[in-house]
Amino acid sequence: MMTVEDIVNSIDRLSIEDQEKLFEIVRQRRIEQQEAEILASRRELKEAIADGTAKKGNVRDLITDLLGDNDASCLE
């Protein structure tokens, strides 16, 4: 298995043009990964809404839900 240092050293040996191509490929793949993560989150949310397990509210509601009624009194 290659270490990060091995990879960086390999990149250093590439031409500037090839480095630019590589960086663009990596950037594009990262964008695709982020899009896939967003789509997965969207699917999960739609399922939670359909199942009735999604919760709605404001920040105070979220904190109360996370901390419980007694601990959320510190917000007042």
Side-chain angles (χ1 to χ4, degrees):
M1 177 175 229
M2 294 181 75
T3 66
V4 172
E5 186 177 344
D6 293 336
I7 294 169
V8 170
N9 289 334
S10 294
I11 292 170
D12 285 341
R13 290 190 292 273
L14 294 173
S15 69
I16 297 297
E17 182 179 288
D18 285 343
Q19 287 181 24
E20 290 296 325
K21 287 178 188 175
L22 175 63
F23 295 146
E24 181 59 27
I25 291 168
V26 170
R27 187 185 71 77
Q28 187 61 41
R29 287 188 181 179
R30 184 63 193 129
I31 289 170
E32 291 168 1
Q33 290 171 344
Q34 289 171 330
E35 289 172 350
E37 291 168 5
I38 290 168
L39 288 174
S41 294
R42 183 174 180 261
R43 276 192 296 273
E44 289 176 24
L45 176 59
K46 287 180 83 173
E47 289 174 11
I49 291 170
D51 295 344
T53 57
K55 296 183 180 182
K56 293 191 246 182
N58 57 31
V59 173
R60 182 179 296 276
D61 296 333
L62 173 64
I63 293 171
T64 300
D65 189 48
L66 292 172
L67 298 177
D69 290 333
N70 295 335
D71 292 334
S73 62
C74 67
L75 297 173
E76 297 173 9

